[in-house]
Amino acid sequence: MDRMSVTEEFAGIQLPGHLHTPESLRYAQDFQFKEGDVVIVTYPKSGTTWMQEILTLIYSQGDPEIATTVPNWERTPWLEHIYFKDLLKEGEGPRIITTHLPSEVLAPALQDTKAKVIYIARNPKDVAVSYYYFHKMAKFLPEVGSFPEFLQLFLEGKVHYGSWFDHVKGWHRQKKNLDFFYITYEDLQKDLRRSIKKVCGFLGCPMYTEEVDKVEQHCRFSVMSQNAMVNYTLIPREILNHDQSKFMRKGIVGDWKEHMNHEQSEAFDEIFREKMSDCDLKFVWSLD
Ligand code: A3P
């Protein structure tokens, strides 16, 4: 498998060389967005796949045909990945593009266009847990030690894709400069139907009640975790080892409580308060 242990350095962050090259990253930075493009932006493990599925189903008016026959990386490709050029299709609907890149790299190009940006954030304690398990299964990410060791690296921003804090704050700062819609993983969890309707409103895609019913039905965790087009079971185990962890792992809010003790959680809160002191975003840590 290609470049499994290669790390690319770009814009001050590290990225897996299996998916990124200097050329693919330059291509992403110079990409010409256009009116009608819809760009899903996330820090890893924040609900990217969920939003890819929601958008696919909104644009198919709830018809699951595409969602159940075309892998998500083909219908909503990653801008910075090696395969992007080959996968991006000029079809009838909008181009749905996914990215984990930081705002410093993409916001300048996006500001000049009328592309729509959907940013999904997730509370960082759950991101850290989900990311830890993803490291266990993804052979293109560095080997991780224990969860406390990983947590330390995560809080210091020394993991692939960089600091969660910088990513969220950087993109949120761009909200006035872009056609920007911000939503959280926890919003999707609390009220999926309402969230779908809000996304429809942002996209200017009115839907009939029965269509919203279908989108909601197909975007449930229980359905998506069985859909091979989104649960990553199509990827060979040399790249993603599903014996280590599932991609659709738990899909809940507050799993961090099973992984962090009181001291770790307090230390996390302290760093969160300090790093987010210049940002008014609020996060939901549990749905209890
Ligand atoms: P967990 O590891 O906590 O289960 P991303 O797509 O950004 O990589 O995020 C993956 C996370 O989103 C995983 O979290 C996955 O289970 C969760 N997820 C994906 N689809 C979901 C859905 N329909 N409902 C709830 N969680 C979902």
Side-chain angles (χ1 to χ4, degrees):
M1 293 297 152
D2 282 352
R3 293 164 51 88
M4 289 300 260
S5 53
V6 176
T7 296
E8 284 297 335
E9 298 267 349
F10 179 70
I13 57 174
Q14 302 195 322
L15 299 156
H18 174 62
L19 298 165
H20 310 82
T21 58
E23 295 72 38
S24 77
L25 292 162
R26 235 185 344 263
Y27 187 85
Q29 191 166 30
D30 297 340
F31 186 69
Q32 303 269 308
F33 294 98
K34 62 180 188 189
E35 185 166 358
D37 287 347
V38 181
V39 189
I40 301 172
V41 186
T42 57
Y43 185 85
K45 314 320 289 176
S46 301
T48 327
T49 314
W50 204 354
M51 189 53 73
Q52 289 174 323
E53 197 71 342
I54 290 171
L55 292 194
T56 299
L57 281 145
I58 288 177
Y59 283 115
S60 68
Q61 273 96 36
D63 181 344
E65 169 74 16
I66 297 173
T68 51
T69 52
V70 182
N72 61 338
W73 58 85
E74 267 185 55
R75 41 183 154 97
T76 53
W78 263 267
L79 174 64
E80 56 271 27
H81 284 189
I82 298 167
Y83 313 102
F84 179 70
K85 261 195 270 187
D86 302 332
L87 295 177
L88 187 68
K89 288 191 190 75
E90 305 287 343
E92 277 179 17
R95 305 188 296 184
I96 306 173
I97 297 165
T98 309
T99 185
H100 288 322
L101 289 177
S103 62
E104 301 79 57
V105 177
L106 293 184
L110 284 165
Q111 279 169 18
D112 298 336
T113 68
K114 291 206 172 75
K116 289 186 178 292
V117 176
I118 299 183
Y119 190 90
I120 308 108
R122 184 181 191 184
N123 88 65
K125 289 183 179 174
D126 281 334
V127 170
V129 172
S130 181
Y131 206 9
Y132 173 69
Y133 283 99
F134 190 56
H135 273 71
K136 287 190 167 226
M137 75 181 301
K139 299 300 154 205
F140 51 82
L141 288 172
E143 293 260 332
V144 278
S146 64
F147 178 66
E149 285 164 351
F150 179 79
L151 192 56
Q152 190 59 34
L153 293 174
F154 178 84
L155 286 168
E156 290 172 7
K158 291 184 180 157
V159 289
H160 276 35
Y161 299 96
S163 156
W164 177 91
F165 301 98
D166 292 346
H167 200 280
V168 173
K169 288 198 291 184
W171 277 104
H172 193 248
R173 262 187 236 117
Q174 293 294 332
K175 67 180 177 201
K176 291 210 172 70
N177 306 326
L178 305 172
D179 192 1
F180 190 82
F181 179 79
Y182 174 87
I183 193 163
T184 64
Y185 178 93
E186 293 77 18
D187 290 330
L188 296 175
Q189 284 276 6
K190 263 191 288 186
D191 195 336
L192 180 56
R193 189 177 187 83
R194 187 157 173 263
S195 303
I196 291 166
K197 286 184 175 173
K198 279 188 175 180
V199 175
C200 287
F202 173 69
L203 297 174
C205 287
M207 293 189 95
Y208 292 112
T209 303
E210 310 79 65
E211 293 172 345
V212 181
D213 289 346
K214 286 189 200 156
V215 180
E216 190 182 1
Q217 162 63 18
H218 286 287
C219 292
R220 297 222 165 279
F221 183 81
S222 54
V223 175
M224 281 181 60
S225 52
Q226 297 305 311
N227 180 358
M229 300 299 134
V230 291
N231 67 14
Y232 285 93
T233 50
L234 296 178
I235 303 290
R237 55 179 289 126
E238 294 75 29
I239 299 174
L240 284 180
N241 186 346
H242 287 259
D243 295 337
Q244 293 291 322
S245 178
K246 301 276 175 263
F247 183 88
M248 294 285 169
R249 195 182 57 89
K250 282 196 183 173
I252 58 169
V253 178
D255 192 33
W256 62 269
K257 291 183 195 165
E258 305 294 321
H259 294 81
M260 289 182 207
N261 61 30
H262 185 67
E263 287 74 42
Q264 284 164 337
S265 174
E266 295 261 294
F268 197 117
D269 292 342
E270 181 77 39
I271 293 170
F272 180 88
R273 270 194 297 276
E274 181 201 312
K275 295 217 190 239
M276 298 300 275
S277 59
D278 55 350
C279 176
D280 56 8
L281 287 175
K282 297 277 173 284
F283 285 88
V284 168
W285 306 94
S286 140
L287 294 183
D288 303 339

